[in-house]
Amino acid sequence: MSEDQAAQKDELLALGSIYDEEEFHGAESAPGGEIQLCLELPPNFKLIVKGDKQTEYDVSFLPPLVLNFELPADYPSSSSPVYTLSSKWLSRDQMTSLCKRLDELWGENQGCVVLYKWIQFLKEEAFAFLDVKSPLEVVKAGMVPVDAKRSKAGVKRAGTIIGEEDKLESLLELDPRAVLVVDPRTDILPQLLDFDEAHRQKEFDGKAFCCSICFMEKLGSSCLCFKGCQHVYCKACMTEYFGIQIRDGNVQCLNCPEPKCTSLAMPSQVKLLVGEELFTRYDRLLLKSSLDLMADVVYCPRQSCCQAVMVEQDTTMGICPSCQYAFCTLCKRGYHGLSHCKVTADELRGLRDEYISASAEGKKFMEQRFGKRVIQRAVEESFSRDWLYENCKGCPRCGTNIQAVPGCGY
């Protein structure tokens, strides 16, 4: 075995021992491999989306830079590793600057293995080298830095003459080894947010937390974190808590158990913990409670149906899409056209109090709905009942209202 082959073998073994399988994959057919490098983001790093409304997203992780390499037979004595550098979120001109810096590092260390130096540079110094700062702007056609231009530092290191900023793009020849792995016309934001969420969850799963309900310490993989407040409880306690609330019909109360905390559990979190039957009930009740808040939604009054019905504006007729029942949306009886809603004796008793306490607009609506005569009768009968209650007693034999006359001996 030659010295170059021995050095290559030792370097690949060293990389395999330093980095796990997710970061480093050795090639089987020839000396080489692939290294995925997640750059260390500064604290409070943000993505920003500009449009009709500017939106910011806090991220802790961005998709890795991917370095694919193959080692020539005369590496490291003479030749540099053959490589490509790819990314989902850096522009090709930024990656071109990184490629040129990797070439410079090889030139400074020719004759020695260089892969580890490349990895350390990309992982720890790439942000400062490119002058990438928070917030990083995401646009519909992909992602560019807020400045939308490569940093002057990066251009200088690439050996390009600094001119006007709007001419920087045309001054630098793109390196064919710099590969953009997404279509520039693709909206990259969902991919970046999904990657960040997955790696946050992976980091969470490996930490230990103390549940504030059972006071047992468990790994994050056995815990649930409320997104709004970041309070953490074990899944066993939350499964029981969610189950009780759903069975009682309190689907709007699946909030954090911390006193005075209003953070709600996400439906995806509920689905992970409760069984299929309970989640179906939760989903149905949650939809119903949401529909109840919509002014243009009523329910079919037939007990065997109860289907949600969309009502058109300025009409009191609802037609159930399931059973085709046409009904009045006010009194929930069969549709009666322009006729006033019929009122039962029991309903008439409460009509007077509702009418008296209503606003002028509310009184007008009630008169249109029930008719002035019905409202007047309800008010008169209500006053009559009040007078009878205060001034009369029921006959002990037949129950008829009677009024005691002074001197009758009753």
Side-chain angles (χ1 to χ4, degrees):
M1 182 182 295
S2 68
E3 291 185 7
D4 283 339
Q5 288 177 321
Q8 291 177 19
K9 184 178 180 181
D10 291 342
E11 184 176 32
L12 293 175
L13 285 173
L15 292 178
S17 63
I18 295 171
Y19 302 104
D20 59 34
E21 293 182 357
E22 290 186 8
E23 293 179 294
F24 173 68
H25 302 278
E28 296 181 0
S29 57
E34 178 183 277
I35 301 171
Q36 298 196 14
L37 302 166
C38 286
L39 305 190
E40 297 177 6
L41 301 186
N44 303 316
F45 194 81
K46 298 180 185 296
L47 300 179
I48 187 171
V49 180
K50 290 186 177 180
D52 296 335
K53 185 179 180 183
Q54 183 169 302
T55 311
E56 284 191 350
Y57 300 90
D58 291 311
V59 293
S60 299
F61 302 92
L62 285 173
L65 294 180
V66 180
L67 179 67
N68 283 282
F69 65 91
E70 188 175 329
L71 304 179
D74 56 352
Y75 166 81
S77 62
S78 301
S79 298
S80 164
V82 178
Y83 68 91
T84 60
L85 187 64
S86 57
S87 172
K88 285 187 175 182
W89 55 275
L90 286 175
S91 61
R92 283 197 67 194
D93 59 316
Q94 288 175 312
M95 288 189 289
T96 293
S97 295
L98 293 177
C99 289
K100 291 186 179 296
R101 180 56 187 154
L102 295 183
D103 292 342
E104 290 177 4
L105 287 174
W106 163 249
E108 296 168 5
N109 297 273
Q110 187 170 354
C112 303
V113 292
V114 77
L115 288 176
Y116 184 73
K117 288 185 181 292
W118 282 3
I119 294 170
Q120 290 302 99
F121 163 73
L122 293 173
K123 204 168 187 179
E124 299 176 3
E125 301 177 35
F127 260 73
F129 178 80
L130 296 173
D131 197 26
V132 176
K133 294 179 181 178
S134 176
L136 198 64
E137 184 181 341
V138 181
V139 293
K140 260 190 174 181
M143 168 164 286
V144 295
V146 172
D147 190 18
K149 304 288 183 183
R150 182 176 47 276
S151 68
K152 290 184 178 181
V155 178
K156 285 179 180 177
R157 289 183 175 91
T160 305
I161 300 173
I162 302 298
E164 295 175 8
E165 287 191 358
D166 60 353
K167 294 181 180 178
L168 289 178
E169 295 290 338
S170 62
L171 292 176
L172 184 66
E173 184 180 348
L174 296 177
D175 194 314
R177 297 171 297 179
V179 181
L180 190 64
V181 294
V182 292
D183 189 329
R185 295 166 293 181
T186 302
D187 183 6
I188 193 66
L189 179 64
Q191 297 181 45
L192 300 184
L193 297 180
D194 288 346
F195 182 88
D196 179 62
E197 177 65 25
H199 277 68
R200 283 179 189 249
Q201 186 63 47
K202 182 180 177 182
E203 187 177 65
F204 175 84
D205 289 347
K207 291 183 180 179
F209 298 91
C210 180
C211 175
S212 300
I213 297 176
C214 63
F215 299 103
M216 293 183 65
E217 192 170 273
K218 297 184 180 181
L219 281 176
S221 55
S222 300
C223 295
L224 179 141
C225 176
F226 283 84
K227 302 298 182 183
C229 59
Q230 299 299 305
H231 292 141
V232 178
Y233 304 89
C234 75
K235 289 181 178 178
C237 291
M238 285 295 95
T239 299
E240 186 173 353
Y241 170 62
F242 288 165
I244 292 171
Q245 295 285 46
I246 294 171
R247 280 188 283 269
D248 291 345
N250 301 323
V251 294
Q252 297 285 6
C253 299
L254 301 187
N255 55 294
C256 173
E258 184 75 17
K260 298 182 180 180
C261 185
T262 57
S263 179
L264 289 172
M266 297 171 65
S268 57
Q269 292 177 314
V270 178
K271 188 174 184 178
L272 278 175
L273 297 187
V274 302
E276 185 178 346
E277 183 180 346
L278 270 181
F279 183 76
T280 301
R281 173 177 169 80
Y282 162 79
D283 198 37
R284 176 171 52 81
L285 292 177
L286 190 62
L287 175 62
K288 185 178 184 301
S289 65
S290 299
L291 292 175
D292 288 343
L293 299 175
M294 299 172 65
D296 58 348
V297 174
V298 295
Y299 292 93
C300 176
R302 284 181 169 171
Q303 293 297 319
S304 60
C305 183
C306 298
Q307 177 75 28
V309 180
M310 295 288 292
V311 180
E312 293 184 11
Q313 204 171 16
D314 300 325
T315 181
T316 58
M317 182 176 71
I319 301 179
C320 177
S322 179
C323 66
Q324 305 302 314
Y325 178 54
F327 60 95
C328 172
T329 59
L330 300 176
C331 64
K332 302 299 188 293
R333 296 184 178 87
Y335 185 64
H336 45 76
L338 298 177
S339 302
H340 298 304
C341 297
K342 294 181 180 179
V343 184
T344 64
D346 291 337
E347 292 171 338
L348 199 62
R349 295 188 185 100
L351 207 55
R352 173 246 185 180
D353 293 335
E354 184 180 350
Y355 182 77
I356 291 175
S357 61
S359 62
E361 187 178 345
K363 288 179 180 178
K364 185 178 180 181
F365 172 74
M366 290 180 69
E367 289 171 0
Q368 290 175 344
R369 175 181 173 184
F370 300 106
K372 282 190 176 182
R373 286 187 179 182
V374 174
I375 296 293
Q376 186 178 2
R377 182 160 61 91
V379 173
E380 289 175 353
E381 288 190 8
S382 178
F383 279 123
S384 298
R385 285 196 308 274
D386 290 346
W387 189 91
L388 289 172
Y389 179 78
E390 293 175 1
N391 298 282
C392 299
K393 292 183 178 180
C395 172
R397 180 168 296 181
C398 67
T400 303
N401 287 316
I402 58 175
Q403 188 176 16
V405 178
C408 70
Y410 174 68

